[in-house]
Amino acid sequence: MNNRIQSILGVLAVAATSISMVAADKNSTPAYLDESLPMEQRIEDALSRMTLDEKIAMIHAQSKFSTPGCPRLGIPELWMSDGPHGVRMEIAWDEWDHAGWSNDYCTALPALTCLAATFNPDLAYEYGNTVGREARFRKKDMMLGPGVNIYRTPLSGRNFEYMGEDPYLSSVMVVPYIKGLQSNGVAACMKHFALNNQENERESINVEVGDRALNEIYLPAFKAGVEAGVWAVMGSYNKFRGTFCTHNDTLVNKILKGDWGFDGVFVTDWGSCHNTFEAAMNGLDLEMGSWTNGLSWGVSSAYDNYYMAEPLKAMVKTGEVPETVVDDKVRRILRLNFRTNMNRHRPYGALHAPEHLDVARRVASEGIVLLKNEKAKLPIRPGKFKRIAVIGDNATKKLSIGGGSSELKPKVEISPLEGLMEVYGDAVAYSMGYASGIADYSHEEPSPYDADSLRMAAVELARNSDVVVFIGGLNKNYKQDCEGGDRLSYDLPYDQNRLIDELIAANSNTVIVLTSGNAVAMPWLDKAPAIIQSWYNGSMGGVALADVISGAVNPSGKLPFTIAQRLEDYAAHSSDERTYPGVDGNVHYDEGVFIGYRWAEAKNIKPTFAFGHGLSYTDFAYSSLKADKKEYSPEDIIRLNITVKNTGHADGAETVQFYVGQSHPRVARPVKELKAFCKPYIKQGESTTCTVEIPASSLAYYNEDNKQWVLDNDEFTIFAASASDDIRQSISIKINNNLIALK
Ligand code: BGC
């Protein structure tokens, strides 16, 4: 029977049950429908009523983004959507095409690199809540996000969907996102577990990484999400130590479900399942998006042929896979149902509400990073200049579309040019400068424009203007900030470096704005007086940029990744192809825990802009860094206070970063690592005291030999910093640890 008809019959059956209940004794209510009973009891009851066919149907897709539930029992379908910075437009039932609806729009939130750059966990909650409200309104039960893979190489096409290079920052930001989203009765599906750190050969690349880097760098954000109670996790396409992550015993059974006690649903990435037995036994709960019947590509409506459909049923029947293994998967999916679409008390959500645009605007304006501001070129106060040249394709390009599965159809997307015109009115004149073609997931579309004419017209405008705001960077085209491929070069595309050189030569009053989710080389760095790192900032991106440029908002974003001078300055690119993009299908993370600023500091490499860097229109002075004690034992909390004074001429927020370094480590450790931060908003002339807490146990390292966290008896230095390369204060503390290994 067709799923839809089954579904209708199921709903009728439940309705009939409920009507007869009115007259009947309350005891006749099936336990799984009795809301007064504990969820686990309801799950067991529902499971006990299901046939093997019904169980098998629940653990694989019925369409590109849904599963059928159990119609006979009135267990609803589960509907999913990408993720992670808004609710994607509808996709057809069995095709990847857009459904073409006219009501499937959303508020586009800034991409996650921007959220990370805010260093503001409260905003991360509002962000998650906004996505959750829209998802709920759009009748989604699960959002495919957030993404917390670590930024290892600036070439990776999906860094813009993730939260940067630091595991602590990603962990602190992902928790409120998940809580905010799930407060709507919509599941977060944290992705991609694990080690999706490049898009090159993403569907087959095998990652070889040591246990220490795995535990210290690549897993903490996932662990934090699980501890925060995330309801679903998505496996990544790549392999880890020879086995696909989606059915990897170590990652899924041992770490995720074993060590961390994850009780939710472990889902494939779309098409990342490759083997029925392995998937069944190694912890996969739900198979989505397989391209194939297991033998060939592109079979349509092949859902019955999915690895976890008929082939798994056959294995259960022969006893090769015990039915209890399937039961565990169904139990988890039922738990997801009870947490989402069988929770009658979840809120109703809202779509494109004014408060959603407000959240989008605040995240964007708090995340924009002022990288450089010589001779106070910025802010550009309205009325100061007669002619402002706005130059660059990204000033007008719609950047919410493209990039792969995170594409969005925002109801509103205000471009930088529109935002600037709103503030500066007729003073603004625009020239494209360079052209980038169309955003397409799988190939590059050449631009029809003549590059020389565009550049020359822009330079001419620059020469005849008082100030130039160049808005360029990367975009969501294939092989830029886009899923399914990595960037081909660390340089800006479309000859932008030449254009920037010529603009600065024509007008020294030039502000460079880079929109991207990745670092780029800046050969014109010394010549550019002012540089802004902006992001894919969604619906209100143009307004937020104008807020920062005009000074209506004092910038407070900090870089969530290192911008190195050269590609070779990143650990992954410091040697040969073995460490990127891999040789013979294997990529080796030989650098271990030393990525990003950990690498730069260990190797004494000066970056263009360091992790945590970001300027303000005011200045902050740090004083009186104090710890509550001199010595701590492993179970203690280190309480730190610092006084921060706004000594400049504008109100503003400062992210005070606390890094910790061990004095005499027995194994090579990073010079220092981020362990806490606070972000006070301080009026000019005023001071505030910031308090943070660092669990002493978080200063441990992972010992590969005995596979345990170890906290040495040692002295540790705590640095209070405005950026990883701008330390303002430091103090030493001692850890007294008689027990060498930590649990
Ligand atoms: C992506 C996932 C996404 C899924 C569904 C995959 O190609 O890797 O992040 O959630 O498609 O669109």
Side-chain angles (χ1 to χ4, degrees), residues 447-513:
S447 153
Y449 296 92
D450 176 62
D452 286 338
S453 320
L454 288 180
R455 195 182 63 255
M456 278 152 49
V459 171
E460 186 59 22
L461 175 65
R463 193 170 292 120
N464 297 316
S465 301
D466 302 307
V467 63
V468 178
V469 179
F470 171 75
I471 302 177
L474 305 178
N475 57 38
K476 304 275 195 71
N477 291 12
Y478 182 54
K479 300 229 164 160
Q480 292 201 43
D481 283 327
C482 181
E483 185 179 335
D486 283 350
R487 293 165 65 197
L488 299 173
S489 150
Y490 188 48
D491 286 324
L492 281 170
Y494 320 115
D495 222 0
Q496 286 179 77
N497 285 338
R498 175 171 178 195
L499 173 61
I500 292 172
D501 277 340
E502 292 185 18
L503 290 176
I504 297 174
N507 190 330
S508 59
N509 221 4
T510 293
V511 175
I512 307 292
V513 179

Side-chain angles (χ1 to χ4, degrees), residues 124-133 174-186:
Y125 184 91
E126 291 191 61
Y127 185 119
N129 184 35
T130 303
V131 174
R133 281 163 59 88
V174 76
V175 166
Y177 177 119
I178 290 169
K179 290 188 173 162
L181 174 55
Q182 292 189 167
S183 70
N184 292 281
V186 175

